[in-house]
Amino acid sequence: MTALIIAYIGGVLTILSPCILPVLPFVFARADQPFVRSTLPMLAGMAMSFAAVATLAAAGAGWAIHANTYGRYVALALLAVFGVTLLAPPLASKLTQPVVALANRLLRPSKGPGPRPAPATGAALLLGIATGLLWAPCAGPILGLVLTGAALHGASAQTAALLMAYAAGAATSLAVALLVSGRVFAAMKRSLVAGEWLRRGLGAAVLGSVAAIGLGADVGLLAELSGASTTRLEQGVLNAFSASKPQRATLPAASDGMMRAVADTQRAFRSGLPVEGQIASLNGAVEWLNSPPLTAGQLRGKVVLVNFWTYSCINCLRTLPYIRAWEAKYRDQGLTVIGVHTPEFAFEKNTGNIRKAIDRHRISYPVAVDSNYAIWRAFGNQYWPAFYVIDAKGQVRHHQFGEGDYDKSEQAIQALLREAGSQATAIDAVQPQASGAEAAPDLGNVRTPETYLGYRQASNFASSQGLSPDAARDYTIAKPSLNQWGLSGNWTVNPEQATLNRAGGGITYRFRARDLHLVLGPAADGKPVRFQVTIDGKAPGANHGADVDAAGSGTVMDTRLYQLVRQAGEVGERTFEIRFLDPGVQAYVFTFG
């Protein structure tokens, strides 16, 4: 029930996002119609069609993606006709007759029992279904969690219910807006001239939205504009409902970056951190690296930091300098750090790949290989990365989801070490030096979202051929708009990744961020793949990333995240292109920082 409430609230908040703009003309064009017979059926049709298609697409149903592609063409044509009827009233009655008839047949067979729906109701429902096929909401934290869960666990009644709740939330906010605007429409209709211009304006807006969606503005420019419009609000909702746990406590104010000493030395130190639960089982790991298997019982008497991560996750990599610094600094005071490596992609289940990542990132503390999600489920975790700080009694006392708030996590570690009897006094916070992909992001300049290349979660694809799931195909890409990407050459797009079939193919992305990363893997036979990177058609020079030289040359040796661009000067909008000189490369996901 909590998850349904969160999904519903996330849907309600979409009205604040620019990504709702393309569908508003379709909805508001019927604001002067009866609410129950026209508005509600349209919003219901929109919610149902979006939830149905999104459920199947998120779960990786290739045929659903094909069907929705053609369904969008039909929907665009239908809504274009709708816009024309608003501009040219004499055509309305003739053009809407077959639309109403089709809607009525969809709602009830001609020979079925019971009353037939009114024509206005049937037409409204059909327009709502068409609108739902076109709606592409920006994936904020709440929708992102729902879609990630669907991708990890497949289609289910729960996924469908969450997406339906999300769509119902959006429909609710639109319904409220329509009820308010209905009065304005009614007032304007009292004047014949004003009503005529209002109808024509709505018709032009509908046709403008059809053109915008047809050109991809709903998932390109508007997605970029939506960067932070609702993210903070949604994250606040998630924090408020987070796993039904108590709110995280704020530690006593520190002076000069140090913890205050306890005035009464006769009493044992007790921090203000709440008890959030008991440490979950650490059983079920496929393997333990850097350590024999550990159990919760063995860790009694120690303060424990459990970090959920996966090695191709850029957010996880940027937390590692802090975790390494904490482990080195507090190890002798009683801190034990445990990394729980839970994979997002199939290749991250390979223990050999994990060992290479541990060596590459200089991880010396124990790592549980949680490829079956056993520890993840035991903790009820939902995030990469996630920290859980556990006291010497085995009680969870602090958690942090995502990057940031490192000072609070370190203060929690210090406080729990004091509770456990450590005699160390005030200590300044660590200041780790990080480079390459581990360096902190330049959030002020990030205008491009994480983008998957596998068709299960792909978005903003700009090649004119469209994605063809699980089939080899020749692709071309001209000039993508901001936040759009495309393929060139012969590729096979699978649920998780795109695989290059012949040498010479490439990927182009128009982005705005300081850093560009791409998760890449070598050919299936393990042979390295050489590549060449350009930025705005030129060698990157000083703007090259850690895994490419100034001339733009690099080689894919292992399946991992590669930093390909780090802009050295002023950050601007750039066109990135990577061309592969050998076949077989596998490309998974772009991330930015």
Side-chain angles (χ1 to χ4, degrees):
M1 181 59 68
T2 299
L4 289 172
I5 294 172
I6 292 174
Y8 178 83
I9 294 174
V12 170
L13 292 175
T14 59
I15 200 168
L16 303 177
S17 169
C19 285
I20 200 70
L21 292 178
V23 303
L24 288 182
F26 308 140
V27 177
F28 280 88
R30 303 186 68 81
D32 61 338
Q33 300 295 315
F35 186 80
V36 174
R37 289 195 303 113
S38 180
T39 301
L40 282 183
M42 181 177 188
L43 293 177
M46 173 182 167
M48 288 187 296
S49 61
F50 166 77
V53 172
T55 300
L56 295 172
W63 65 267
I65 296 172
H66 272 305
N68 189 53
T69 299
Y70 296 115
R72 284 173 65 88
Y73 296 148
V74 174
L76 284 171
L78 174 62
L79 291 168
V81 170
F82 177 50
V84 170
T85 64
L86 292 172
L87 287 173
L91 295 177
S93 58
K94 293 183 178 180
L95 292 176
T96 56
Q97 286 177 358
V99 172
V100 171
L102 174 60
N104 286 333
R105 285 197 296 272
L106 291 173
L107 284 169
R108 186 177 301 281
S110 58
K111 297 182 180 179
R116 294 176 61 80
T121 302
L125 180 65
L126 186 61
L127 289 173
I129 292 172
T131 304
L133 291 175
L134 299 179
W135 183 36
C138 300
I142 292 176
L143 182 58
L145 282 176
V146 174
L147 296 177
T148 299
L152 290 173
H153 306 298
S156 65
Q158 181 184 19
T159 297
L162 290 173
L163 285 166
M164 191 63 198
Y166 184 90
T172 300
S173 58
L174 288 172
V176 171
L178 278 169
L179 286 172
V180 174
S181 65
R183 298 181 180 181
V184 177
F185 277 77
M188 294 185 70
K189 285 184 66 178
R190 295 191 188 104
S191 167
L192 182 62
V193 175
E196 178 69 13
W197 280 107
L198 175 63
R199 179 180 51 72
R200 292 179 179 179
L202 286 171
V206 167
L207 293 177
S209 288
V210 169
I213 293 173
L215 294 173
D218 58 325
V219 293
L221 174 62
L222 293 177
E224 187 271 331
L225 292 175
S226 297
S229 57
T230 62
T231 297
R232 291 185 179 180
L233 291 173
E234 293 190 30
Q235 193 60 54
V237 172
L238 289 173
N239 291 340
F241 285 90
S242 180
S244 301
K245 294 178 180 177
Q247 293 295 309
R248 286 176 285 161
T250 300
L251 291 172
S255 174
D256 297 326
M258 300 181 177
M259 288 182 56
R260 291 188 304 181
V262 181
D264 187 355
T265 57
Q266 301 301 314
R267 293 184 297 176
F269 175 80
R270 178 71 179 176
S271 74
L273 294 170
V275 175
E276 300 182 353
Q278 292 293 317
I279 183 173
S281 172
L282 297 174
N283 297 329
V286 172
E287 188 174 350
W288 283 79
L289 306 177
N290 294 341
S291 167
L294 298 175
T295 66
Q298 290 174 306
L299 297 170
R300 281 297 182 101
K302 293 183 176 293
V303 175
V304 181
L305 172 68
V306 176
N307 171 41
F308 285 90
W309 71 297
T310 187
Y311 79 80
S312 74
C313 162
I314 184 61
N315 311 91
C316 300
L317 298 184
R318 291 196 288 241
T319 65
L320 292 181
Y322 290 89
I323 298 174
R324 288 196 304 262
W326 292 335
E327 198 274 338
K329 190 169 189 176
Y330 300 113
R331 180 195 312 134
D332 294 338
Q333 298 178 39
L335 176 68
T336 296
V337 175
I338 297 175
V340 179
H341 186 277
T342 310
E344 179 180 10
F345 296 108
F347 67 81
E348 292 173 314
K349 296 180 180 181
N350 185 303
T351 304
N353 289 343
I354 301 171
R355 288 183 188 275
K356 291 179 181 178
I358 288 175
D359 292 340
R360 185 166 55 251
H361 296 287
R362 308 184 309 282
I363 295 173
S364 59
Y365 50 81
V367 174
V369 181
D370 188 34
S371 296
N372 295 327
Y373 280 69
I375 303 175
W376 177 284
R377 287 193 295 267
F379 273 79
N381 187 53
Q382 301 180 60
Y383 303 94
W384 292 287
F387 304 153
Y388 296 89
V389 186
I390 299 153
D391 66 18
K393 297 178 182 178
Q395 301 172 129
V396 178
R397 302 287 297 280
H398 176 81
H399 68 269
Q400 168 66 31
F401 300 142
E403 301 178 61
D405 283 344
Y406 298 112
D407 55 341
K408 292 183 179 180
S409 295
E410 184 167 7
Q411 288 177 6
I413 293 170
Q414 293 173 346
L416 296 182
L417 288 172
R418 291 284 300 280
E419 282 190 9
S422 171
Q423 298 303 309
T425 56
I427 302 174
D428 290 331
V430 298
Q431 298 292 331
Q433 298 298 313
S435 60
E438 292 185 353
D442 180 11
L443 295 178
N445 280 308
V446 176
R447 296 291 184 273
T448 301
E450 180 179 59
T451 304
Y452 290 84
L453 278 68
Y455 65 73
R456 178 178 291 161
Q457 299 183 70
S459 60
N460 298 353
F461 186 66
S463 288
S464 59
Q465 295 79 11
L467 279 178
S468 295
D470 301 314
R473 184 169 187 176
D474 288 321
Y475 292 93
T476 57
I477 177 69
K479 293 183 178 180
S481 301
L482 181 61
N483 297 340
Q484 290 186 330
W485 65 281
L487 302 171
S488 59
N490 190 274
W491 293 79
T492 299
V493 181
N494 301 118
E496 285 193 345
Q497 83 281 357
T499 302
L500 179 63
N501 299 314
R502 293 195 294 267
I507 308 171
T508 302
Y509 202 130
R510 184 73 173 170
F511 77 102
R512 181 185 172 91
R514 184 194 66 189
D515 303 336
L516 178 147
H517 312 95
L518 179 57
V519 176
L520 296 167
D525 58 7
K527 291 183 178 179
V529 175
R530 298 165 298 156
F531 63 80
Q532 192 75 30
V533 165
T534 60
I535 303 174
D536 293 336
K538 302 176 183 178
N543 295 318
H544 71 89
D547 294 298
V548 62
D549 62 22
S553 300
T555 304
V556 179
M557 303 287 290
D558 307 305
T559 306
R560 62 177 178 87
L561 180 144
Y562 290 78
Q563 186 184 78
L564 303 176
V565 176
R566 166 157 287 177
Q567 297 190 55
E570 181 180 354
V571 175
E573 185 178 323
R574 303 282 186 257
T575 297
F576 162 86
E577 183 177 8
I578 182 170
R579 190 156 299 279
F580 300 98
L581 308 182
D582 305 296
V585 73
Q586 300 178 68
Y588 291 83
V589 59
F590 282 99
T591 58
F592 303 88

